[in-house]
Amino acid sequence: MNIHEYQAKAVLKEYGAPVAEGVAIFSADEAEAAAKSLPGPLWVVKSQIHAGGRGKGKFKELSADAKGGVRLAFSLDEVTSNAKEMLGNTLVTKQTGAAGKVVNRLYIEDGADIERELYLSILVDRTVGRPAFVVSTEGGMDIEAVAEETPEKIVTLPIDPETGVTEADAAKLCDALELTGAAREDGMKLFPILHTAFVEKDMSLLEVNPLIVMKDGRLRVLDAKVSFDGNALFRHPDIMELRDVTEEDDKEIEASKYDLAYVALDGDIGCMVNGAGLAMATMDIIKLYGAEPANFLDVGGGASKEKVTAAFKIITSDPNVKGILVNIFGGIMRCDVIAEGVVAAVKEVGLQVPLVVRLEGTNVELGKKIINESGLNVIAADDLDDAAQKIVKAVKG
Ligand code: ADP
Ligand code: MG
């Protein structure tokens, strides 16, 4: 689950990280009062959407030379006029896709005097099985270009979960970021704080870009992007309250109601599979035969007919889906339950696209019988390879 920048900063502030003062607003009427409560004379009006690249983003409704989704304001009037221009409009950034995201919230923040913009993130590094810091002196709005063109400027430091961030670790990070004086003192305190927040709150990503050195030599967290491990949310009711469903994919929200592991993707072949590993393999093999999956979906082991029906409906509700591949290897999951779910869903919503079904395992004969007797126009497949080729052929011709 993702949260907004201002929420992420509030979480980090609880742990003692240096963040600017700011106020989140939902309407332009609130802009002036929000700005007045901050020190000034520089304010920053920041679009709150669950995507980065806002500074360089463009509003769909505004002219091409209009400013982006993060704007400096030098007077109260400018804060208000910017708020009016941004709220309710659609911001398109490198991370939103072409559709963009509607800006429903703004964060009015105290402006900082920036000396240097640094990059810092913490993520779970799978190669070493530990949280790792990723830092660079080249922070700011072009970190993707740095990663591509000068990857040697990015330093990775895994952290031992037994010890947390040691003094030696913090010093290494300070060195990598070329921090001296007050900024170095701040860094020695900040790095353990961020790591503790990451671990205690079960984050999967904590990205501070930029972390800044200010003109007065101190460090400040200027942007914050945080994602949480969805499987750990049950033990963080405070974090769960920060969820903003207007930022999420409708299909994913629907799937979460049924406890389905579903991720919307950009392709055109809908996938209904049991088991995360088989689901990944199914997506891979679809790609191998030259098409793209429209989703990841693991219906799970003990899925009921209702759950399978819901899953099938979610897949068919995606207008990009040009064909569906059902790939079930029934172990705990029974093939007849899958078949019943598919048939029930098709009865309700119809079937506008080709459907390839590959069933194997527990109750497979019964499952096939249910599908055969349903009168559904199904293309049967024998194995994974056969199924993938058949659906790609059905969609691409
Ligand atoms: P995004 O990464 O989505 O573009 P940021 O929060 O990183 O959004 O803001 C983009 C840029 O705007 C930053 O790199 C920084 O230069 C500037 N900026 C953001 N917040 C402030 C602030 N409070 N004071 C001064 N400049 C800021
Ligand atoms: Mg940023």
Side-chain angles (χ1 to χ4, degrees):
M1 186 186 90
N2 298 321
I3 57 174
H4 290 291
E5 173 200 1
Y6 76 94
Q7 298 168 324
K9 284 179 170 170
V11 172
L12 297 179
K13 194 177 173 186
E14 274 175 42
Y15 282 87
V19 299
E21 286 177 62
V23 181
I25 62 167
F26 292 78
S27 97
D29 309 339
E30 304 167 67
E32 184 168 333
K36 270 191 181 153
S37 72
L38 301 172
L42 174 65
W43 295 267
V44 186
V45 184
K46 309 185 78 172
S47 308
Q48 299 298 293
I49 55 172
H50 286 185
R54 296 162 301 165
K56 292 203 165 168
K58 288 282 167 209
F59 283 99
K60 262 192 182 169
E61 295 84 356
L62 306 181
S63 67
D65 56 355
K67 288 193 216 128
V70 175
R71 300 176 176 191
L72 301 182
F74 298 89
S75 67
L76 295 176
D77 283 348
E78 259 187 84
V79 172
T80 301
S81 60
N82 278 306
K84 279 189 185 147
E85 214 174 281
M86 294 157 82
L87 273 171
N89 281 336
T90 314
L91 185 59
V92 181
T93 81
K94 267 189 187 161
Q95 295 183 9
T96 59
K101 288 205 154 169
V102 177
V103 176
N104 296 314
R105 308 179 190 196
L106 295 174
Y107 192 42
I108 313 294
E109 193 179 56
D110 183 32
D113 270 334
I114 303 174
E115 179 74 33
R116 289 203 292 142
E117 299 203 355
L118 314 171
Y119 178 88
L120 179 149
S121 62
I122 309 178
L123 41 76
V124 180
D125 185 339
R126 282 159 205 277
T127 54
V128 290
R130 304 181 159 186
F133 279 82
V134 178
V135 298
S136 174
T137 52
E138 311 301 305
M141 295 194 273
D142 288 313
I143 189 67
E144 286 85 1
V146 176
E148 231 164 76
E149 290 153 24
T150 47
E152 70 280 3
K153 291 193 171 159
I154 296 180
V155 175
T156 304
L157 180 71
I159 299 300
D160 185 339
E162 289 274 336
T163 60
V165 178
T166 60
E167 292 251 326
D169 291 331
K172 272 187 209 161
L173 293 168
C174 287
D175 291 343
L177 292 171
E178 297 168 12
L179 299 180
T180 55
R184 194 175 180 95
E185 277 169 35
D186 286 354
M188 294 298 289
K189 282 189 228 144
L190 176 62
F191 304 136
I193 283 176
L194 294 179
H195 178 263
T196 304
F198 182 89
V199 173
E200 284 188 5
K201 295 291 185 191
D202 288 305
M203 295 177 185
S204 53
L205 173 73
L206 164 55
E207 187 180 56
V208 178
N209 185 29
L211 170 69
I212 57 161
V213 182
M214 295 190 288
K215 293 259 197 284
D216 66 5
R218 317 246 42 146
L219 282 189
R220 183 179 276 181
V221 169
L222 208 66
D223 187 9
K225 197 173 166 200
V226 173
S227 306
F228 297 91
D229 180 346
N231 292 319
L233 276 175
F234 72 94
R235 55 185 182 196
H236 301 292
D238 54 329
I239 300 296
M240 221 139 38
E241 270 178 30
L242 304 178
R243 185 169 178 196
D244 178 1
V245 290
T246 66
E247 291 286 329
E248 295 176 17
D249 184 282
D250 288 340
K251 300 186 293 301
E252 290 181 10
I253 295 168
E254 186 66 15
S256 72
K257 286 184 199 157
Y258 290 92
D259 214 9
L260 289 161
Y262 172 93
V263 181
L265 300 167
D266 295 332
D268 52 15
I269 298 189
C271 305
M272 180 149 110
V273 190
N274 70 317
L278 188 58
M280 297 296 277
T282 305
M283 289 159 56
D284 279 348
I285 203 160
I286 286 171
K287 278 167 126 38
L288 180 70
Y289 287 112
E292 295 286 330
N295 64 281
F296 166 92
L297 170 64
D298 169 14
V299 289
S304 62
K305 178 182 149 193
E306 287 67 36
K307 202 163 156 178
V308 173
T309 310
F312 200 82
K313 280 204 238 168
I314 291 166
I315 293 174
T316 51
S317 73
D318 180 349
N320 293 331
V321 166
K322 305 273 181 314
I324 299 170
L325 173 53
V326 175
N327 183 21
I328 301 297
F329 193 94
I332 301 170
M333 188 74 230
R334 287 165 21 216
C335 292
D336 56 314
V337 174
I338 292 285
E340 278 179 357
V342 169
V343 172
V346 171
K347 268 196 192 133
E348 258 182 70
V349 295
L351 184 62
Q352 262 51 272
V353 296
L355 170 65
V356 171
V357 176
R358 180 255 177 159
L359 293 177
E360 197 55 76
T362 309
N363 288 2
V364 60
E365 291 313 325
L366 186 55
K368 283 185 175 164
K369 185 161 169 262
I370 290 167
I371 292 212
N372 290 339
E373 289 174 359
S374 70
L376 280 189
N377 187 11
V378 171
I379 307 167
D382 301 324
D383 57 34
L384 182 49
D385 203 62
D386 183 43
Q389 288 189 49
K390 279 181 172 154
I391 191 63
V392 173
K393 185 156 180 283
V395 168
K396 298 214 155 181

